[in-house]
Structure formats: C-alpha cells, structure tokens
Amino acid sequence: MRVKVLSRNPDDYVRETKLDLQRVPRNYDPALHPFEVAREYTRALNATKLERVFAKPFLSSLDGHRDGVNCMAKHPKSLSTVLSGACDGEVKIWNLTKRQCVRTIQAHEGFVRGMCARFCGTSFFTVGDDKTVKQWKMESPEYGEEEEPIHTILGKTVYTGIDHHWKEPVFATCGHQVDIWDEQRTSPKCSLTWGFDSISSVKFNPIETYLLGSCASDRNIVLYDMRKSTPLKKVILNMRTNTLCWNPMEAFIFTAANEDYNLYTFDMRFLESPVMVHMDHVSAVLDVDYSPTGKEFVSASFDKSIRIFPVDKGHSREVYHTKRMQHVITVKWTSDNKYILCGSDEMNIRLWKANASEKLGVLAPREKAAMNYNQKLKEKFQFHPQIRRIAQHRHLPKSIYCQIKEQRIMREARRRKELNRRKHSKPGSVPFVPERKKHIVAVVK
C-alpha cells in the first residue's frame, strides 16, 4: 500500500517570534505574475525619485586655516586622521570623527607646496617655498617639548611636490627636476630630468612601487623607473597637466588632470591615445584622487565644484558645490570609500559623502535588503527615458550652467565647420580624428 504524505518545513511559514512579520509563501512561476515588469518599473521610478530627494552629500566644514588650503594628505593607518597644508605655511592635523583640529604646526615660510605621510604612519613630510623638505612626527610633542621637525633638508631650488614610497624609506620630490631621496641621507640618491621646465607633481605607483609619474609645465607627463637612472617615456598633450593619480587596483592605469578642462585616463603601455577622456568641468582641473576600489575618482576644479567620475565613463555621475566654496585646489577620497575631502581657496576643508543619498550609521537587515533591491531595480531600468532623466538631473550654479551651454554651442560650431570642410574637400583629405587622439601631440620613448 502506498501512502502520500504532505511534508512541510515549519521554518518556511512559522514566525520566530510573535513580533516578527508573517511569512507569505510565494510561487515564482512567471506565468502567475503577468504584471511583474510594470510593478518593478514603478518601484524603480519611486526609488530613483527618493534617491534624489535624500541626496544631501555635504556633511561638515573644517575651518581653522587662516589662508587657502593648498594640499592634503591621508594617514595610511588611521581613517579618522587627515593632514592639510595652507598657503601661509601652516600645517594642521584633523580628527574627522570629532571634526576638529588636534594639532597646528608653523611648518614653512610661504606656501606649503606638498605633503605626504610615511607608509607606517609614524611621521610625515612637507615641502614649501622656503626650499626645505621637513620630516615631522605624527604624534604631538610631550609636555614641555618644542614643536620641531625630526629632519630638515635644505635644497637649492623650490620644491613643488613630494610623495613617499609605499613600502620603503624612500621619497621623491619635484621642482626643477625629480629627486629620489633616502630618508637617512641629506643629498638625493639620484636625480631624473627630461626637458628643462619645472615639474608640478610626482606620484609613486601603489602597486608597482618602483614606478613614478610626473607632470611638467612644458605639457609633458613623464614616467620613470626607480631601478633605472633614466626616464622611461613621456607623452606631450595640448595643454599643461596639473597632477596625476595612479589607479590603486590596476597597476598600469593613471588619470591626469589637465588645464583644458578634461581628465585623461591612460594605460602607460599604450600612451598613443588615452583609454578615456572625461569631460564635464568648465575650468582647469587642479587635482584628482582615486577611490580605494579603483572604480571611480574625484576631481577638483577651478570652476568651484568637485565631480565624481566612473573610470569607464566620459561624464561625471555626481557634481558637488556650495555657495561659499571657491576654487577647489585639493581633493582626497578617504580609505574606507565613504567620504570625500576637499580644500579650497576660502580656507575651508569640506567633508562630503561619496554616495550622495547613502544613509549613514547602522542599517537593519531588512533596510539593507530593501536598499540592495532598489539598487538592482535602478540598474535594471536605468536606460528608460523617465528614470534616466531623473537620475541624471543636477541643479548647477548659474555660472557653471551658462559656461556648459556656451561650450556646447562652441563644440557644435566646430563640428559643423569640420563637416562643411569635409563636404567641400577632396575625399579623404580631411580625416576623421577621434576625440581620444585630438589632445595628444606626441609620445617620446
């Protein structure tokens, strides 16, 4: 005799506590849910609208500097510590959790041109207009002790930038040339030069740590290998590059911030054309910094705004600005991928959320699940016209809005002129030049 028995697992339908929600069994057969897509579209639309409603990225302003903030550095071990240098030679160390300054040092006479922390986080280096490189302790001096640098190196020319090696007691400075220094010596291990112009910034590669990149005011981006005493290769652009930043996840990728309002992402193996041209700023781009995931970067511009770009997209996903913020000179993305710091002309450091509508603090499991679900819905319907319009719309200051409009008209006029020239010329005499190749003058090896 065969007996058929219905067997149910109580975990599927019984509540764990009487305060819990009733569990509802659901059949996932698509034939039983003919309006599922329409329902999901409505949910995606509502989620996109709510994302814009809750987009409040500005968190706080750290004020205390008496002159414009010229450079910043992150602490390699502590998320809550950040260093900033001003145009009056003052260096401040900030605690981000308390949002207050914990220490102030009068480091240089004139501008603090650059600063970087040692890889172990015990000390940091600053360079200034007084032709000195100084090493300072990260900890505050003991009671009765004077605030003095550990080491001071007096150079022959003004140093415009500094960066520390990610694993060894070696640092690089730039100015008239790129100098590689050992921390124990007062003269450089080697000096690298290619051309005769001043170099504005130098950066070590975080993965292939013996590689360096530098930007010079003769429109060059030069790559060096520390193991060789000569530069590797250089790329010459149409206009000057202010600084560059290496991708922390892909060893060969770096992004350069240029005077022609654009950012260029290069693969150092193929410098003939950039991987991507990022266009949205309406004035010179002064600084750039990657997120620790390597998927996005943030840029600071002379047009009084900062923008967040995905690495593989030509346009920004987010633009941050305030009425009081002036020309943004320096920007940093914190190591936990949550926040962005920017320093500007009007003596303030501002703290922003990296994701404008993200809820800070502890999330309940159901809240987290709902957010993930909404995120997937937004990705699924991101190309629908209405959702796309709401997701991309940003309110801009009038000055930026008018400049964007003006540049659009100029671009359209150039395109029309090129079409007319091609139409009235011999076939093939006016070649099509892709946007990526327009800005590169030459690559020298």
Side-chain angles (χ1 to χ4, degrees), residues 73-78 81-84 91-94 102-105 115-125 135-141 147-150:
K74 292 184 283 192
H75 193 291
K77 304 284 184 189
S78 165
T81 307
V82 70
L83 309 120
S84 65
V91 169
K92 283 184 180 285
I93 301 175
W94 304 87
V102 292
R103 189 167 157 220
T104 304
I105 307 162
M115 60 196 311
C116 65
R118 199 173 185 271
F119 61 91
C120 61
T122 54
S123 62
F124 65 94
F125 295 82
Q135 184 181 4
W136 305 84
K137 274 186 186 170
M138 196 68 79
E139 296 297 320
S140 300
E147 188 77 86
E148 284 185 348
I150 307 169

Short mmCIF file of all heavy atoms in Angstrom, two decimals, residues 73-78 81-84 91-94 102-105 115-125 135-141 147-150:
data_model
loop_
_atom_site.label_atom_id
_atom_site.label_comp_id
_atom_site.label_asym_id
_atom_site.label_seq_id
_atom_site.Cartn_x
_atom_site.Cartn_y
_atom_site.Cartn_z
N ALA A 73 46.89 65.39 2.84
CA ALA A 73 47.46 64.04 2.83
C ALA A 73 46.63 63.15 3.75
O ALA A 73 46.12 63.62 4.78
CB ALA A 73 48.91 64.07 3.28
N LYS A 74 46.49 61.86 3.36
CA LYS A 74 45.76 60.91 4.20
C LYS A 74 46.74 60.16 5.10
O LYS A 74 47.88 59.92 4.70
CB LYS A 74 45.04 59.88 3.31
CG LYS A 74 43.91 60.47 2.50
CD LYS A 74 43.18 59.39 1.71
CE LYS A 74 43.95 58.97 0.48
NZ LYS A 74 43.17 58.15 -0.44
N HIS A 75 46.28 59.78 6.28
CA HIS A 75 47.07 58.92 7.17
C HIS A 75 46.94 57.49 6.65
O HIS A 75 45.83 57.02 6.41
CB HIS A 75 46.53 59.04 8.59
CG HIS A 75 47.44 58.46 9.63
ND1 HIS A 75 47.67 57.10 9.73
CD2 HIS A 75 48.18 59.04 10.61
CE1 HIS A 75 48.51 56.87 10.74
NE2 HIS A 75 48.83 58.03 11.28
N PRO A 76 48.05 56.76 6.47
CA PRO A 76 47.95 55.41 5.88
C PRO A 76 47.32 54.37 6.80
O PRO A 76 46.82 53.36 6.33
CB PRO A 76 49.40 55.04 5.57
CG PRO A 76 50.22 55.92 6.44
CD PRO A 76 49.44 57.16 6.70
N LYS A 77 47.32 54.60 8.12
CA LYS A 77 46.80 53.60 9.07
C LYS A 77 45.51 54.04 9.76
O LYS A 77 44.73 53.20 10.18
CB LYS A 77 47.85 53.33 10.17
CG LYS A 77 49.20 52.87 9.65
CD LYS A 77 49.18 51.43 9.20
CE LYS A 77 50.57 50.97 8.76
NZ LYS A 77 50.55 49.67 8.12
N SER A 78 45.30 55.33 9.91
CA SER A 78 44.13 55.82 10.66
C SER A 78 43.14 56.49 9.72
O SER A 78 43.47 57.43 9.01
CB SER A 78 44.60 56.81 11.73
OG SER A 78 43.52 57.54 12.22
N THR A 81 42.23 60.37 10.63
CA THR A 81 43.25 61.42 10.64
C THR A 81 43.53 61.90 9.22
O THR A 81 43.72 61.10 8.31
CB THR A 81 44.56 60.87 11.26
OG1 THR A 81 44.26 60.30 12.52
CG2 THR A 81 45.59 61.97 11.44
N VAL A 82 43.54 63.22 9.07
CA VAL A 82 43.90 63.80 7.78
C VAL A 82 44.76 65.05 8.04
O VAL A 82 44.63 65.72 9.06
CB VAL A 82 42.63 64.15 6.96
CG1 VAL A 82 41.87 65.32 7.54
CG2 VAL A 82 42.95 64.42 5.51
N LEU A 83 45.70 65.30 7.11
CA LEU A 83 46.63 66.43 7.26
C LEU A 83 46.34 67.44 6.16
O LEU A 83 46.01 67.07 5.03
CB LEU A 83 48.07 65.95 7.13
CG LEU A 83 48.48 64.77 8.00
CD1 LEU A 83 48.94 63.62 7.12
CD2 LEU A 83 49.58 65.15 8.94
N SER A 84 46.50 68.71 6.50
CA SER A 84 46.29 69.75 5.48
C SER A 84 47.35 70.83 5.60
O SER A 84 47.79 71.16 6.71
CB SER A 84 44.90 70.36 5.62
OG SER A 84 44.79 71.05 6.85
N VAL A 91 50.53 73.90 8.86
CA VAL A 91 50.06 72.52 8.67
C VAL A 91 49.15 72.18 9.83
O VAL A 91 49.49 72.43 11.00
CB VAL A 91 51.25 71.53 8.60
CG1 VAL A 91 50.77 70.10 8.69
CG2 VAL A 91 52.04 71.74 7.31
N LYS A 92 47.98 71.59 9.54
CA LYS A 92 47.05 71.18 10.59
C LYS A 92 46.77 69.68 10.47
O LYS A 92 46.68 69.15 9.36
CB LYS A 92 45.73 71.95 10.49
CG LYS A 92 45.82 73.39 11.03
CD LYS A 92 44.47 74.07 11.00
CE LYS A 92 44.54 75.50 11.52
NZ LYS A 92 44.67 75.60 12.98
N ILE A 93 46.63 69.03 11.63
CA ILE A 93 46.23 67.62 11.67
C ILE A 93 44.82 67.58 12.25
O ILE A 93 44.56 68.15 13.32
CB ILE A 93 47.20 66.78 12.53
CG1 ILE A 93 48.61 66.87 11.94
CG2 ILE A 93 46.75 65.33 12.60
CD1 ILE A 93 49.68 66.18 12.74
N TRP A 94 43.90 66.91 11.53
CA TRP A 94 42.48 66.92 11.89
C TRP A 94 42.02 65.54 12.35
O TRP A 94 42.48 64.53 11.83
CB TRP A 94 41.62 67.33 10.70
CG TRP A 94 41.96 68.65 10.10
CD1 TRP A 94 42.90 68.88 9.14
CD2 TRP A 94 41.39 69.92 10.43
NE1 TRP A 94 42.94 70.22 8.83
CE2 TRP A 94 42.02 70.89 9.60
CE3 TRP A 94 40.39 70.34 11.32
CZ2 TRP A 94 41.69 72.24 9.66
CZ3 TRP A 94 40.06 71.68 11.36
CH2 TRP A 94 40.71 72.62 10.55
N VAL A 102 43.48 68.83 15.83
CA VAL A 102 44.15 68.33 17.04
C VAL A 102 45.56 68.90 17.18
O VAL A 102 46.15 68.83 18.25
CB VAL A 102 44.20 66.77 17.06
CG1 VAL A 102 42.82 66.20 17.23
CG2 VAL A 102 44.86 66.20 15.81
N ARG A 103 46.10 69.46 16.10
CA ARG A 103 47.47 69.98 16.18
C ARG A 103 47.73 70.97 15.04
O ARG A 103 47.27 70.76 13.92
CB ARG A 103 48.42 68.79 16.07
CG ARG A 103 49.87 69.12 16.34
CD ARG A 103 50.63 67.82 16.52
NE ARG A 103 52.03 67.97 16.26
CZ ARG A 103 52.77 67.09 15.61
NH1 ARG A 103 52.22 65.98 15.16
NH2 ARG A 103 54.06 67.27 15.43
N THR A 104 48.46 72.03 15.35
CA THR A 104 48.82 73.03 14.33
C THR A 104 50.33 73.26 14.38
O THR A 104 50.91 73.41 15.46
CB THR A 104 48.10 74.37 14.59
OG1 THR A 104 46.69 74.11 14.63
CG2 THR A 104 48.38 75.38 13.50
N ILE A 105 50.97 73.25 13.20
CA ILE A 105 52.42 73.45 13.10
C ILE A 105 52.68 74.58 12.12
O ILE A 105 52.11 74.59 11.01
CB ILE A 105 53.13 72.18 12.58
CG1 ILE A 105 52.75 70.95 13.42
CG2 ILE A 105 54.63 72.36 12.55
CD1 ILE A 105 53.05 69.63 12.73
N MET A 115 52.67 67.63 0.65
CA MET A 115 52.88 66.86 1.87
C MET A 115 52.49 65.41 1.63
O MET A 115 51.68 65.10 0.76
CB MET A 115 52.09 67.47 3.04
CG MET A 115 50.61 67.53 2.86
SD MET A 115 49.80 68.66 4.03
CE MET A 115 50.49 68.16 5.56
N CYS A 116 53.11 64.51 2.40
CA CYS A 116 52.79 63.09 2.29
C CYS A 116 53.13 62.41 3.60
O CYS A 116 54.03 62.85 4.32
CB CYS A 116 53.54 62.44 1.13
SG CYS A 116 55.32 62.43 1.37
N ALA A 117 52.40 61.34 3.93
CA ALA A 117 52.67 60.59 5.16
C ALA A 117 53.57 59.40 4.85
O ALA A 117 53.55 58.86 3.73
CB ALA A 117 51.36 60.10 5.76
N ARG A 118 54.39 59.01 5.82
CA ARG A 118 55.24 57.83 5.67
C ARG A 118 54.35 56.59 5.67
O ARG A 118 53.29 56.58 6.29
CB ARG A 118 56.23 57.78 6.84
CG ARG A 118 57.44 56.92 6.60
CD ARG A 118 58.44 57.07 7.74
NE ARG A 118 59.65 56.34 7.45
CZ ARG A 118 59.86 55.06 7.76
NH1 ARG A 118 58.91 54.39 8.40
NH2 ARG A 118 60.99 54.47 7.46
N PHE A 119 54.77 55.51 4.99
CA PHE A 119 53.91 54.33 4.83
C PHE A 119 53.49 53.69 6.16
O PHE A 119 52.47 53.04 6.26
CB PHE A 119 54.58 53.28 3.92
CG PHE A 119 55.89 52.76 4.45
CD1 PHE A 119 55.94 51.64 5.25
CD2 PHE A 119 57.09 53.41 4.14
CE1 PHE A 119 57.14 51.16 5.74
CE2 PHE A 119 58.30 52.94 4.62
CZ PHE A 119 58.33 51.81 5.43
N CYS A 120 54.32 53.87 7.23
CA CYS A 120 53.99 53.27 8.53
C CYS A 120 53.11 54.21 9.37
O CYS A 120 52.56 53.81 10.39
CB CYS A 120 55.25 52.94 9.30
SG CYS A 120 56.25 54.40 9.62
N GLY A 121 52.99 55.47 8.95
CA GLY A 121 52.12 56.41 9.65
C GLY A 121 52.73 57.07 10.87
O GLY A 121 52.04 57.75 11.63
N THR A 122 54.05 56.89 11.11
CA THR A 122 54.67 57.48 12.31
C THR A 122 55.12 58.92 12.08
O THR A 122 55.31 59.68 13.03
CB THR A 122 55.90 56.66 12.74
OG1 THR A 122 56.78 56.53 11.61
CG2 THR A 122 55.49 55.28 13.23
N SER A 123 55.32 59.30 10.82
CA SER A 123 55.77 60.67 10.53
C SER A 123 55.24 61.11 9.17
O SER A 123 54.70 60.31 8.42
CB SER A 123 57.30 60.73 10.55
OG SER A 123 57.84 59.91 9.54
N PHE A 124 55.43 62.40 8.88
CA PHE A 124 55.03 62.91 7.57
C PHE A 124 56.03 63.96 7.09
O PHE A 124 56.79 64.51 7.89
CB PHE A 124 53.60 63.47 7.61
CG PHE A 124 53.42 64.68 8.49
CD1 PHE A 124 53.50 65.97 7.98
CD2 PHE A 124 53.15 64.52 9.85
CE1 PHE A 124 53.33 67.08 8.79
CE2 PHE A 124 52.97 65.64 10.67
CZ PHE A 124 53.06 66.91 10.14
N PHE A 125 56.01 64.20 5.78
CA PHE A 125 56.96 65.12 5.14
C PHE A 125 56.21 66.30 4.54
O PHE A 125 55.10 66.15 4.03
CB PHE A 125 57.72 64.40 4.02
CG PHE A 125 58.61 63.29 4.49
CD1 PHE A 125 58.09 62.03 4.76
CD2 PHE A 125 59.97 63.49 4.67
CE1 PHE A 125 58.91 61.00 5.20
CE2 PHE A 125 60.80 62.47 5.10
CZ PHE A 125 60.26 61.22 5.37
N GLN A 135 60.71 66.69 7.87
CA GLN A 135 60.03 65.49 8.36
C GLN A 135 59.55 65.76 9.78
O GLN A 135 60.32 66.21 10.64
CB GLN A 135 60.98 64.28 8.34
CG GLN A 135 60.28 62.98 8.76
CD GLN A 135 61.23 61.79 8.76
OE1 GLN A 135 62.43 61.94 8.53
NE2 GLN A 135 60.71 60.61 9.02
N TRP A 136 58.27 65.48 10.04
CA TRP A 136 57.65 65.76 11.34
C TRP A 136 57.10 64.48 11.95
O TRP A 136 56.67 63.59 11.24
CB TRP A 136 56.50 66.75 11.19
CG TRP A 136 56.84 68.02 10.50
CD1 TRP A 136 56.88 68.23 9.15
CD2 TRP A 136 57.20 69.27 11.10
NE1 TRP A 136 57.23 69.52 8.88
CE2 TRP A 136 57.43 70.19 10.06
CE3 TRP A 136 57.33 69.71 12.42
CZ2 TRP A 136 57.78 71.51 10.28
CZ3 TRP A 136 57.68 71.02 12.66
CH2 TRP A 136 57.91 71.92 11.61
N LYS A 137 57.07 64.43 13.27
CA LYS A 137 56.42 63.31 13.97
C LYS A 137 54.91 63.45 13.84
O LYS A 137 54.38 64.56 13.88
CB LYS A 137 56.77 63.33 15.46
CG LYS A 137 58.07 62.62 15.79
CD LYS A 137 58.24 62.59 17.28
CE LYS A 137 59.61 62.02 17.64
NZ LYS A 137 59.90 62.20 19.07
N MET A 138 54.23 62.30 13.69
CA MET A 138 52.76 62.33 13.61
C MET A 138 52.15 62.62 14.98
O MET A 138 51.12 63.26 15.10
CB MET A 138 52.25 60.99 13.06
CG MET A 138 50.83 61.03 12.59
SD MET A 138 50.55 62.04 11.13
CE MET A 138 51.10 60.99 9.81
N GLU A 139 52.83 62.12 16.05
CA GLU A 139 52.32 62.34 17.41
C GLU A 139 52.63 63.75 17.87
O GLU A 139 53.64 64.34 17.48
CB GLU A 139 52.98 61.33 18.38
CG GLU A 139 52.65 59.87 18.08
CD GLU A 139 51.18 59.56 18.24
OE1 GLU A 139 50.57 60.08 19.20
OE2 GLU A 139 50.63 58.82 17.41
N SER A 140 51.80 64.30 18.74
CA SER A 140 52.05 65.62 19.32
C SER A 140 53.26 65.55 20.26
O SER A 140 53.51 64.50 20.87
CB SER A 140 50.84 66.09 20.12
OG SER A 140 49.72 66.18 19.29
N PRO A 141 54.01 66.66 20.40
CA PRO A 141 55.16 66.63 21.30
C PRO A 141 54.72 66.51 22.76
O PRO A 141 53.60 66.88 23.12
CB PRO A 141 55.84 67.98 21.04
CG PRO A 141 54.80 68.84 20.44
CD PRO A 141 53.85 67.94 19.73
N GLU A 147 57.97 72.15 19.38
CA GLU A 147 57.48 71.61 18.09
C GLU A 147 58.56 71.81 17.04
O GLU A 147 58.68 72.88 16.45
CB GLU A 147 56.20 72.36 17.70
CG GLU A 147 55.48 71.80 16.50
CD GLU A 147 54.69 70.54 16.79
OE1 GLU A 147 53.55 70.64 17.22
OE2 GLU A 147 55.26 69.45 16.58
N GLU A 148 59.37 70.76 16.82
CA GLU A 148 60.47 70.87 15.86
C GLU A 148 60.47 69.67 14.93
O GLU A 148 60.08 68.57 15.31
CB GLU A 148 61.82 70.95 16.59
CG GLU A 148 62.07 72.30 17.22
CD GLU A 148 63.47 72.38 17.83
OE1 GLU A 148 64.11 71.32 17.96
OE2 GLU A 148 63.89 73.49 18.19
N PRO A 149 60.92 69.87 13.67
CA PRO A 149 60.97 68.72 12.74
C PRO A 149 62.05 67.72 13.14
O PRO A 149 63.04 68.08 13.79
CB PRO A 149 61.30 69.38 11.39
CG PRO A 149 61.89 70.71 11.71
CD PRO A 149 61.32 71.13 13.02
N ILE A 150 61.86 66.45 12.75
CA ILE A 150 62.87 65.41 13.01
C ILE A 150 64.10 65.69 12.15
O ILE A 150 65.23 65.66 12.62
CB ILE A 150 62.31 64.00 12.69
CG1 ILE A 150 60.99 63.75 13.41
CG2 ILE A 150 63.32 62.91 13.03
CD1 ILE A 150 60.24 62.52 12.94
#
